[in-house]
Amino acid sequence: MPQGTTQAAPDGRRGSILSVYLNERRQTATTFDRMKSAYVSAAHRLGERASGERVIAKGEAAGLDSAARFTASQLAIVDLPRMVRLDVPWWNRRAALAVDRFLAEREQPAVFEFGSGSSTVWLARRAASVVSVEPHAEWANALSAPLRPYPQAEVLVRSVHAGGGAFAAAIGERPDNYDLIVIDGRERAACLHAALPHLKPGGIVLFDDSGRRRYRRAIRASGLVERRYFGAAFAKPYPDFTSLLQAPVSG
């Protein structure tokens, strides 16, 4: 479907979403997590200032492929209303641009997403249908307002545990197949395994954070051809991996 205009989301859920994120980082308490939490908190504060608002407004008015949109996204890390306003997913920038083109070329694209967030709204602006599954009720509830203009999108809340559980199995709850399947949540190897029977011919799987060692075996075992993107990512102060996986062309 044609991309809609960018819409701001209400700020009422910002604090709860930030709290969920920071609490999860505190549980692991690695040096990297502490550094990332400090950056997230600083970005939130800067975005509240007049100078930060000017950067965000400039990015909102620019294209998805612009430096202005990318720069503004760095003030929107783990900030659902700002990311929805800027119309960016939390992925590698080049991979996001590739998915944007892919969806524009598909007729009535259908999407399934493991792990909801700003990407759910981003996808709803570009797809005929979006089903997202999320283990955190807080995140799912926060999406209710920004998804209201997009009745073709829904968020399921399913529990997750080792091996994926109901979270990974959610893609099999209906007989649909999908043009795009996004894997950006928990138990990603299990989610990829569950996703394979539901990928349409010519469809793609977006596998975020694909550079992590624990995911490499599952990606190789999938039998899909990988296009691996590394570099600048929306709403991240460091380069990261996102892969697009597609069935090999027969013959």
Side-chain angles (χ1 to χ4, degrees):
M1 65 182 294
Q3 179 179 343
T5 56
T6 309
Q7 300 180 26
D11 290 350
R13 296 287 182 177
R14 175 175 284 130
S16 62
I17 295 300
L18 178 60
S19 295
V20 169
Y21 176 84
L22 293 178
N23 285 337
E24 286 200 342
R25 300 288 80 74
R26 291 187 191 104
Q27 289 173 18
T28 54
T30 65
T31 299
F32 177 76
D33 283 326
R34 288 193 294 271
M35 292 173 61
K36 194 172 179 181
S37 295
Y39 177 86
V40 168
S41 297
H44 277 245
R45 291 193 299 270
L46 180 56
E48 297 292 341
R49 298 177 182 173
S51 57
E53 171 57 30
R54 287 193 293 271
V55 171
I56 293 169
K58 183 178 179 181
E60 183 181 12
L64 181 66
D65 60 349
S66 68
R69 182 79 66 95
F70 171 74
T71 300
S73 78
Q74 301 308 309
L75 300 182
I77 182 170
V78 201
D79 190 318
L80 180 62
R82 285 182 196 155
M83 291 188 76
V84 168
R85 176 182 171 186
L86 288 168
D87 194 31
V88 292
W90 205 3
W91 307 331
N92 174 281
R93 185 186 182 196
R94 289 192 299 133
L97 292 172
V99 171
D100 186 52
R101 292 190 297 270
F102 174 82
L103 292 175
E105 292 166 358
R106 302 286 282 193
E107 184 176 353
Q108 297 292 300
V111 178
F112 191 94
E113 180 187 40
F114 292 99
S116 65
S118 65
S119 57
T120 313
V121 184
W122 188 86
L123 291 164
R125 290 170 173 157
R126 292 161 172 81
S129 66
V130 178
V131 180
S132 183
V133 60
E134 169 60 42
H136 292 294
E138 298 97 329
W139 284 93
N141 291 338
L143 283 165
S144 60
L147 282 177
R148 199 166 292 130
Y150 309 101
Q152 80 277 21
E154 61 177 315
V155 180
L156 311 175
V157 178
R158 299 290 185 270
S159 61
V160 62
H161 53 74
F167 180 75
I171 195 168
E173 290 184 11
R174 58 195 70 188
D176 301 340
N177 290 335
Y178 302 93
D179 298 274
L180 170 67
I181 299 173
V182 176
I183 298 177
D184 191 14
R186 301 294 184 86
E187 295 293 327
R188 298 185 197 193
C191 291
L192 178 57
H193 180 74
L196 294 177
H198 299 279
L199 187 63
K200 285 184 180 181
I204 60 175
V205 175
L206 181 142
F207 198 112
D208 200 26
D209 303 310
S210 56
R212 296 176 184 174
R213 184 177 300 176
R214 63 183 181 272
Y215 301 143
R216 298 309 305 164
R217 178 181 294 181
I219 290 173
R220 288 193 297 268
S222 71
L224 302 178
V225 176
E226 181 180 17
R227 281 183 287 159
R228 198 175 180 194
Y229 296 88
F230 177 73
F234 287 116
K236 286 184 180 179
Y238 53 86
D240 208 355
F241 287 96
T242 300
S243 289
L244 300 183
L245 314 176
Q246 192 165 24
V249 178
S250 59

PDB file of all heavy atoms in Angstrom, residues 102 106 178-179 181 192 195-206 219 222-227 244-251:
ATOM      1  N   PHE A 102      11.490  -3.286  -1.322  1.00  0.00           N
ATOM      2  CA  PHE A 102      10.858  -4.598  -1.522  1.00  0.00           C
ATOM      3  C   PHE A 102       9.348  -4.520  -1.330  1.00  0.00           C
ATOM      4  O   PHE A 102       8.573  -5.027  -2.162  1.00  0.00           O
ATOM      5  CB  PHE A 102      11.472  -5.600  -0.547  1.00  0.00           C
ATOM      6  CG  PHE A 102      10.800  -6.949  -0.547  1.00  0.00           C
ATOM      7  CD1 PHE A 102      11.108  -7.896  -1.505  1.00  0.00           C
ATOM      8  CD2 PHE A 102       9.857  -7.272   0.429  1.00  0.00           C
ATOM      9  CE1 PHE A 102      10.488  -9.144  -1.500  1.00  0.00           C
ATOM     10  CE2 PHE A 102       9.238  -8.508   0.441  1.00  0.00           C
ATOM     11  CZ  PHE A 102       9.557  -9.458  -0.530  1.00  0.00           C
ATOM     12  N   ARG A 106       5.961  -5.193  -4.034  1.00  0.00           N
ATOM     13  CA  ARG A 106       5.054  -6.340  -3.874  1.00  0.00           C
ATOM     14  C   ARG A 106       3.606  -5.867  -3.916  1.00  0.00           C
ATOM     15  O   ARG A 106       3.277  -4.773  -3.442  1.00  0.00           O
ATOM     16  CB  ARG A 106       5.310  -7.057  -2.553  1.00  0.00           C
ATOM     17  CG  ARG A 106       6.723  -7.576  -2.378  1.00  0.00           C
ATOM     18  CD  ARG A 106       7.026  -8.794  -3.205  1.00  0.00           C
ATOM     19  NE  ARG A 106       6.488 -10.025  -2.644  1.00  0.00           N
ATOM     20  CZ  ARG A 106       6.842 -11.234  -3.065  1.00  0.00           C
ATOM     21  NH1 ARG A 106       7.716 -11.379  -4.046  1.00  0.00           N
ATOM     22  NH2 ARG A 106       6.312 -12.309  -2.517  1.00  0.00           N
ATOM     23  N   TYR A 178       3.574 -15.300   4.160  1.00  0.00           N
ATOM     24  CA  TYR A 178       3.947 -13.897   4.243  1.00  0.00           C
ATOM     25  C   TYR A 178       5.052 -13.534   3.249  1.00  0.00           C
ATOM     26  O   TYR A 178       5.961 -14.322   2.986  1.00  0.00           O
ATOM     27  CB  TYR A 178       4.407 -13.571   5.671  1.00  0.00           C
ATOM     28  CG  TYR A 178       3.339 -13.863   6.690  1.00  0.00           C
ATOM     29  CD1 TYR A 178       3.287 -15.100   7.344  1.00  0.00           C
ATOM     30  CD2 TYR A 178       2.349 -12.930   6.972  1.00  0.00           C
ATOM     31  CE1 TYR A 178       2.288 -15.381   8.263  1.00  0.00           C
ATOM     32  CE2 TYR A 178       1.345 -13.215   7.884  1.00  0.00           C
ATOM     33  CZ  TYR A 178       1.310 -14.435   8.525  1.00  0.00           C
ATOM     34  OH  TYR A 178       0.310 -14.718   9.420  1.00  0.00           O
ATOM     35  N   ASP A 179       4.947 -12.304   2.734  1.00  0.00           N
ATOM     36  CA  ASP A 179       5.982 -11.765   1.854  1.00  0.00           C
ATOM     37  C   ASP A 179       7.243 -11.411   2.638  1.00  0.00           C
ATOM     38  O   ASP A 179       8.356 -11.564   2.133  1.00  0.00           O
ATOM     39  CB  ASP A 179       5.469 -10.506   1.141  1.00  0.00           C
ATOM     40  CG  ASP A 179       4.273 -10.787   0.268  1.00  0.00           C
ATOM     41  OD1 ASP A 179       4.467 -11.180  -0.892  1.00  0.00           O
ATOM     42  OD2 ASP A 179       3.133 -10.619   0.754  1.00  0.00           O
ATOM     43  N   ILE A 181       8.933 -11.695   6.665  1.00  0.00           N
ATOM     44  CA  ILE A 181       8.900 -12.135   8.056  1.00  0.00           C
ATOM     45  C   ILE A 181      10.070 -11.477   8.762  1.00  0.00           C
ATOM     46  O   ILE A 181      11.217 -11.598   8.325  1.00  0.00           O
ATOM     47  CB  ILE A 181       8.979 -13.666   8.178  1.00  0.00           C
ATOM     48  CG1 ILE A 181       7.773 -14.314   7.470  1.00  0.00           C
ATOM     49  CG2 ILE A 181       9.028 -14.087   9.642  1.00  0.00           C
ATOM     50  CD1 ILE A 181       7.845 -15.829   7.380  1.00  0.00           C
ATOM     51  N   LEU A 192      13.105 -18.402  13.485  1.00  0.00           N
ATOM     52  CA  LEU A 192      13.470 -18.636  12.085  1.00  0.00           C
ATOM     53  C   LEU A 192      13.012 -20.019  11.639  1.00  0.00           C
ATOM     54  O   LEU A 192      12.454 -20.175  10.533  1.00  0.00           O
ATOM     55  CB  LEU A 192      14.977 -18.482  11.909  1.00  0.00           C
ATOM     56  CG  LEU A 192      15.523 -18.745  10.502  1.00  0.00           C
ATOM     57  CD1 LEU A 192      14.856 -17.848   9.470  1.00  0.00           C
ATOM     58  CD2 LEU A 192      17.034 -18.555  10.478  1.00  0.00           C
ATOM     59  N   ALA A 195       9.388 -19.956  11.060  1.00  0.00           N
ATOM     60  CA  ALA A 195       8.979 -19.065   9.971  1.00  0.00           C
ATOM     61  C   ALA A 195       9.078 -19.708   8.602  1.00  0.00           C
ATOM     62  O   ALA A 195       8.298 -19.378   7.690  1.00  0.00           O
ATOM     63  CB  ALA A 195       9.838 -17.804  10.005  1.00  0.00           C
ATOM     64  N   LEU A 196      10.026 -20.611   8.407  1.00  0.00           N
ATOM     65  CA  LEU A 196      10.341 -21.101   7.059  1.00  0.00           C
ATOM     66  C   LEU A 196       9.138 -21.643   6.288  1.00  0.00           C
ATOM     67  O   LEU A 196       8.980 -21.332   5.101  1.00  0.00           O
ATOM     68  CB  LEU A 196      11.453 -22.157   7.143  1.00  0.00           C
ATOM     69  CG  LEU A 196      12.813 -21.628   7.605  1.00  0.00           C
ATOM     70  CD1 LEU A 196      13.810 -22.774   7.719  1.00  0.00           C
ATOM     71  CD2 LEU A 196      13.338 -20.553   6.665  1.00  0.00           C
ATOM     72  N   PRO A 197       8.236 -22.433   6.905  1.00  0.00           N
ATOM     73  CA  PRO A 197       7.093 -22.943   6.126  1.00  0.00           C
ATOM     74  C   PRO A 197       6.089 -21.863   5.729  1.00  0.00           C
ATOM     75  O   PRO A 197       5.187 -22.137   4.926  1.00  0.00           O
ATOM     76  CB  PRO A 197       6.445 -23.958   7.084  1.00  0.00           C
ATOM     77  CG  PRO A 197       7.477 -24.260   8.106  1.00  0.00           C
ATOM     78  CD  PRO A 197       8.280 -23.011   8.257  1.00  0.00           C
ATOM     79  N   HIS A 198       6.226 -20.667   6.296  1.00  0.00           N
ATOM     80  CA  HIS A 198       5.230 -19.615   6.075  1.00  0.00           C
ATOM     81  C   HIS A 198       5.740 -18.485   5.184  1.00  0.00           C
ATOM     82  O   HIS A 198       5.100 -17.439   5.086  1.00  0.00           O
ATOM     83  CB  HIS A 198       4.785 -19.050   7.426  1.00  0.00           C
ATOM     84  CG  HIS A 198       4.152 -20.068   8.315  1.00  0.00           C
ATOM     85  ND1 HIS A 198       2.831 -20.442   8.187  1.00  0.00           N
ATOM     86  CD2 HIS A 198       4.670 -20.816   9.321  1.00  0.00           C
ATOM     87  CE1 HIS A 198       2.559 -21.376   9.089  1.00  0.00           C
ATOM     88  NE2 HIS A 198       3.654 -21.622   9.782  1.00  0.00           N
ATOM     89  N   LEU A 199       6.873 -18.693   4.522  1.00  0.00           N
ATOM     90  CA  LEU A 199       7.443 -17.672   3.649  1.00  0.00           C
ATOM     91  C   LEU A 199       6.944 -17.890   2.226  1.00  0.00           C
ATOM     92  O   LEU A 199       7.084 -18.968   1.655  1.00  0.00           O
ATOM     93  CB  LEU A 199       8.970 -17.747   3.694  1.00  0.00           C
ATOM     94  CG  LEU A 199       9.741 -16.643   2.975  1.00  0.00           C
ATOM     95  CD1 LEU A 199       9.456 -15.281   3.612  1.00  0.00           C
ATOM     96  CD2 LEU A 199      11.241 -16.944   2.998  1.00  0.00           C
ATOM     97  N   LYS A 200       6.364 -16.852   1.643  1.00  0.00           N
ATOM     98  CA  LYS A 200       5.877 -16.937   0.271  1.00  0.00           C
ATOM     99  C   LYS A 200       7.035 -17.081  -0.717  1.00  0.00           C
ATOM    100  O   LYS A 200       8.156 -16.649  -0.432  1.00  0.00           O
ATOM    101  CB  LYS A 200       5.094 -15.667  -0.090  1.00  0.00           C
ATOM    102  CG  LYS A 200       3.715 -15.548   0.506  1.00  0.00           C
ATOM    103  CD  LYS A 200       3.036 -14.295  -0.025  1.00  0.00           C
ATOM    104  CE  LYS A 200       1.642 -14.116   0.532  1.00  0.00           C
ATOM    105  NZ  LYS A 200       0.978 -12.895  -0.003  1.00  0.00           N
ATOM    106  N   PRO A 201       6.781 -17.650  -1.895  1.00  0.00           N
ATOM    107  CA  PRO A 201       7.806 -17.659  -2.945  1.00  0.00           C
ATOM    108  C   PRO A 201       8.270 -16.234  -3.249  1.00  0.00           C
ATOM    109  O   PRO A 201       7.444 -15.330  -3.430  1.00  0.00           O
ATOM    110  CB  PRO A 201       7.081 -18.270  -4.147  1.00  0.00           C
ATOM    111  CG  PRO A 201       5.986 -19.103  -3.544  1.00  0.00           C
ATOM    112  CD  PRO A 201       5.551 -18.355  -2.316  1.00  0.00           C
ATOM    113  N   GLY A 202       9.573 -16.039  -3.260  1.00  0.00           N
ATOM    114  CA  GLY A 202      10.102 -14.699  -3.491  1.00  0.00           C
ATOM    115  C   GLY A 202      10.103 -13.824  -2.264  1.00  0.00           C
ATOM    116  O   GLY A 202      10.575 -12.682  -2.314  1.00  0.00           O
ATOM    117  N   GLY A 203       9.599 -14.331  -1.148  1.00  0.00           N
ATOM    118  CA  GLY A 203       9.564 -13.551   0.084  1.00  0.00           C
ATOM    119  C   GLY A 203      10.921 -13.490   0.749  1.00  0.00           C
ATOM    120  O   GLY A 203      11.855 -14.214   0.380  1.00  0.00           O
ATOM    121  N   ILE A 204      11.033 -12.629   1.745  1.00  0.00           N
ATOM    122  CA  ILE A 204      12.294 -12.471   2.464  1.00  0.00           C
ATOM    123  C   ILE A 204      12.062 -12.510   3.970  1.00  0.00           C
ATOM    124  O   ILE A 204      10.973 -12.194   4.454  1.00  0.00           O
ATOM    125  CB  ILE A 204      13.033 -11.164   2.087  1.00  0.00           C
ATOM    126  CG1 ILE A 204      12.180  -9.930   2.408  1.00  0.00           C
ATOM    127  CG2 ILE A 204      13.456 -11.171   0.631  1.00  0.00           C
ATOM    128  CD1 ILE A 204      12.911  -8.607   2.173  1.00  0.00           C
ATOM    129  N   VAL A 205      13.108 -12.904   4.675  1.00  0.00           N
ATOM    130  CA  VAL A 205      13.149 -12.844   6.134  1.00  0.00           C
ATOM    131  C   VAL A 205      14.161 -11.774   6.520  1.00  0.00           C
ATOM    132  O   VAL A 205      15.308 -11.814   6.066  1.00  0.00           O
ATOM    133  CB  VAL A 205      13.567 -14.195   6.750  1.00  0.00           C
ATOM    134  CG1 VAL A 205      13.733 -14.064   8.262  1.00  0.00           C
ATOM    135  CG2 VAL A 205      12.558 -15.286   6.407  1.00  0.00           C
ATOM    136  N   LEU A 206      13.740 -10.814   7.311  1.00  0.00           N
ATOM    137  CA  LEU A 206      14.681  -9.861   7.896  1.00  0.00           C
ATOM    138  C   LEU A 206      15.083 -10.392   9.259  1.00  0.00           C
ATOM    139  O   LEU A 206      14.232 -10.611  10.122  1.00  0.00           O
ATOM    140  CB  LEU A 206      14.070  -8.470   8.031  1.00  0.00           C
ATOM    141  CG  LEU A 206      15.027  -7.414   8.612  1.00  0.00           C
ATOM    142  CD1 LEU A 206      14.831  -6.059   7.925  1.00  0.00           C
ATOM    143  CD2 LEU A 206      14.867  -7.252  10.124  1.00  0.00           C
ATOM    144  N   ILE A 219      21.007 -19.449  10.894  1.00  0.00           N
ATOM    145  CA  ILE A 219      20.921 -18.789   9.588  1.00  0.00           C
ATOM    146  C   ILE A 219      21.496 -19.690   8.505  1.00  0.00           C
ATOM    147  O   ILE A 219      20.898 -19.861   7.431  1.00  0.00           O
ATOM    148  CB  ILE A 219      21.638 -17.423   9.633  1.00  0.00           C
ATOM    149  CG1 ILE A 219      20.837 -16.447  10.511  1.00  0.00           C
ATOM    150  CG2 ILE A 219      21.830 -16.860   8.227  1.00  0.00           C
ATOM    151  CD1 ILE A 219      21.536 -15.128  10.760  1.00  0.00           C
ATOM    152  N   SER A 222      19.189 -22.611   7.628  1.00  0.00           N
ATOM    153  CA  SER A 222      17.873 -22.277   7.053  1.00  0.00           C
ATOM    154  C   SER A 222      17.786 -22.615   5.569  1.00  0.00           C
ATOM    155  O   SER A 222      16.683 -22.794   5.035  1.00  0.00           O
ATOM    156  CB  SER A 222      17.582 -20.793   7.253  1.00  0.00           C
ATOM    157  OG  SER A 222      18.408 -19.983   6.407  1.00  0.00           O
ATOM    158  N   GLY A 223      18.928 -22.673   4.879  1.00  0.00           N
ATOM    159  CA  GLY A 223      18.916 -22.903   3.445  1.00  0.00           C
ATOM    160  C   GLY A 223      18.603 -21.664   2.636  1.00  0.00           C
ATOM    161  O   GLY A 223      18.525 -21.720   1.400  1.00  0.00           O
ATOM    162  N   LEU A 224      18.439 -20.518   3.291  1.00  0.00           N
ATOM    163  CA  LEU A 224      18.149 -19.270   2.602  1.00  0.00           C
ATOM    164  C   LEU A 224      19.447 -18.562   2.237  1.00  0.00           C
ATOM    165  O   LEU A 224      20.468 -18.709   2.901  1.00  0.00           O
ATOM    166  CB  LEU A 224      17.285 -18.369   3.485  1.00  0.00           C
ATOM    167  CG  LEU A 224      15.945 -18.958   3.947  1.00  0.00           C
ATOM    168  CD1 LEU A 224      15.223 -17.963   4.848  1.00  0.00           C
ATOM    169  CD2 LEU A 224      15.068 -19.347   2.762  1.00  0.00           C
ATOM    170  N   VAL A 225      19.383 -17.786   1.173  1.00  0.00           N
ATOM    171  CA  VAL A 225      20.529 -16.994   0.737  1.00  0.00           C
ATOM    172  C   VAL A 225      20.558 -15.709   1.542  1.00  0.00           C
ATOM    173  O   VAL A 225      19.544 -14.998   1.637  1.00  0.00           O
ATOM    174  CB  VAL A 225      20.439 -16.687  -0.772  1.00  0.00           C
ATOM    175  CG1 VAL A 225      21.592 -15.772  -1.203  1.00  0.00           C
ATOM    176  CG2 VAL A 225      20.448 -17.983  -1.572  1.00  0.00           C
ATOM    177  N   GLU A 226      21.718 -15.398   2.110  1.00  0.00           N
ATOM    178  CA  GLU A 226      21.837 -14.254   3.018  1.00  0.00           C
ATOM    179  C   GLU A 226      22.481 -13.058   2.335  1.00  0.00           C
ATOM    180  O   GLU A 226      23.539 -13.168   1.715  1.00  0.00           O
ATOM    181  CB  GLU A 226      22.668 -14.645   4.242  1.00  0.00           C
ATOM    182  CG  GLU A 226      22.836 -13.519   5.259  1.00  0.00           C
ATOM    183  CD  GLU A 226      23.672 -13.930   6.454  1.00  0.00           C
ATOM    184  OE1 GLU A 226      24.383 -14.958   6.360  1.00  0.00           O
ATOM    185  OE2 GLU A 226      23.603 -13.235   7.481  1.00  0.00           O
ATOM    186  N   ARG A 227      21.820 -11.904   2.460  1.00  0.00           N
ATOM    187  CA  ARG A 227      22.442 -10.606   2.161  1.00  0.00           C
ATOM    188  C   ARG A 227      22.660  -9.931   3.514  1.00  0.00           C
ATOM    189  O   ARG A 227      21.702  -9.555   4.190  1.00  0.00           O
ATOM    190  CB  ARG A 227      21.530  -9.740   1.284  1.00  0.00           C
ATOM    191  CG  ARG A 227      21.531 -10.087  -0.180  1.00  0.00           C
ATOM    192  CD  ARG A 227      20.669  -9.128  -0.961  1.00  0.00           C
ATOM    193  NE  ARG A 227      19.244  -9.364  -0.720  1.00  0.00           N
ATOM    194  CZ  ARG A 227      18.281  -8.475  -0.921  1.00  0.00           C
ATOM    195  NH1 ARG A 227      18.583  -7.255  -1.326  1.00  0.00           N
ATOM    196  NH2 ARG A 227      17.017  -8.779  -0.686  1.00  0.00           N
ATOM    197  N   LEU A 244      19.074  -9.942   5.308  1.00  0.00           N
ATOM    198  CA  LEU A 244      17.894 -10.300   4.548  1.00  0.00           C
ATOM    199  C   LEU A 244      18.126 -11.696   3.961  1.00  0.00           C
ATOM    200  O   LEU A 244      19.140 -11.933   3.296  1.00  0.00           O
ATOM    201  CB  LEU A 244      17.613  -9.291   3.428  1.00  0.00           C
ATOM    202  CG  LEU A 244      17.380  -7.855   3.877  1.00  0.00           C
ATOM    203  CD1 LEU A 244      17.028  -6.980   2.673  1.00  0.00           C
ATOM    204  CD2 LEU A 244      16.287  -7.763   4.926  1.00  0.00           C
ATOM    205  N   LEU A 245      17.217 -12.614   4.244  1.00  0.00           N
ATOM    206  CA  LEU A 245      17.333 -14.005   3.847  1.00  0.00           C
ATOM    207  C   LEU A 245      16.245 -14.312   2.825  1.00  0.00           C
ATOM    208  O   LEU A 245      15.072 -13.967   3.022  1.00  0.00           O
ATOM    209  CB  LEU A 245      17.195 -14.930   5.053  1.00  0.00           C
ATOM    210  CG  LEU A 245      17.995 -14.570   6.310  1.00  0.00           C
ATOM    211  CD1 LEU A 245      17.653 -15.539   7.439  1.00  0.00           C
ATOM    212  CD2 LEU A 245      19.483 -14.595   6.019  1.00  0.00           C
ATOM    213  N   GLN A 246      16.629 -14.993   1.751  1.00  0.00           N
ATOM    214  CA  GLN A 246      15.660 -15.295   0.682  1.00  0.00           C
ATOM    215  C   GLN A 246      15.944 -16.678   0.131  1.00  0.00           C
ATOM    216  O   GLN A 246      17.098 -17.125   0.079  1.00  0.00           O
ATOM    217  CB  GLN A 246      15.783 -14.247  -0.427  1.00  0.00           C
ATOM    218  CG  GLN A 246      14.657 -14.273  -1.443  1.00  0.00           C
ATOM    219  CD  GLN A 246      14.625 -13.016  -2.296  1.00  0.00           C
ATOM    220  OE1 GLN A 246      15.638 -12.347  -2.461  1.00  0.00           O
ATOM    221  NE2 GLN A 246      13.459 -12.683  -2.822  1.00  0.00           N
ATOM    222  N   ALA A 247      14.881 -17.354  -0.306  1.00  0.00           N
ATOM    223  CA  ALA A 247      15.050 -18.682  -0.877  1.00  0.00           C
ATOM    224  C   ALA A 247      15.871 -18.587  -2.155  1.00  0.00           C
ATOM    225  O   ALA A 247      15.705 -17.640  -2.937  1.00  0.00           O
ATOM    226  CB  ALA A 247      13.693 -19.295  -1.165  1.00  0.00           C
ATOM    227  N   PRO A 248      16.769 -19.546  -2.389  1.00  0.00           N
ATOM    228  CA  PRO A 248      17.566 -19.509  -3.607  1.00  0.00           C
ATOM    229  C   PRO A 248      16.705 -19.673  -4.844  1.00  0.00           C
ATOM    230  O   PRO A 248      15.652 -20.335  -4.794  1.00  0.00           O
ATOM    231  CB  PRO A 248      18.525 -20.692  -3.441  1.00  0.00           C
ATOM    232  CG  PRO A 248      17.863 -21.587  -2.459  1.00  0.00           C
ATOM    233  CD  PRO A 248      17.081 -20.703  -1.541  1.00  0.00           C
ATOM    234  N   VAL A 249      17.110 -19.058  -5.934  1.00  0.00           N
ATOM    235  CA  VAL A 249      16.375 -19.170  -7.188  1.00  0.00           C
ATOM    236  C   VAL A 249      16.634 -20.545  -7.784  1.00  0.00           C
ATOM    237  O   VAL A 249      17.785 -20.971  -7.950  1.00  0.00           O
ATOM    238  CB  VAL A 249      16.817 -18.083  -8.175  1.00  0.00           C
ATOM    239  CG1 VAL A 249      16.087 -18.240  -9.505  1.00  0.00           C
ATOM    240  CG2 VAL A 249      16.563 -16.711  -7.587  1.00  0.00           C
ATOM    241  N   SER A 250      15.572 -21.287  -8.085  1.00  0.00           N
ATOM    242  CA  SER A 250      15.726 -22.633  -8.631  1.00  0.00           C
ATOM    243  C   SER A 250      16.059 -22.587 -10.124  1.00  0.00           C
ATOM    244  O   SER A 250      15.737 -21.617 -10.807  1.00  0.00           O
ATOM    245  CB  SER A 250      14.431 -23.436  -8.426  1.00  0.00           C
ATOM    246  OG  SER A 250      13.353 -22.803  -9.064  1.00  0.00           O
ATOM    247  N   GLY A 251      16.685 -23.652 -10.582  1.00  0.00           N
ATOM    248  CA  GLY A 251      17.003 -23.755 -11.994  1.00  0.00           C
ATOM    249  C   GLY A 251      18.270 -23.042 -12.345  1.00  0.00           C
ATOM    250  O   GLY A 251      18.656 -22.993 -13.500  1.00  0.00           O
TER     251      GLY A 251
END
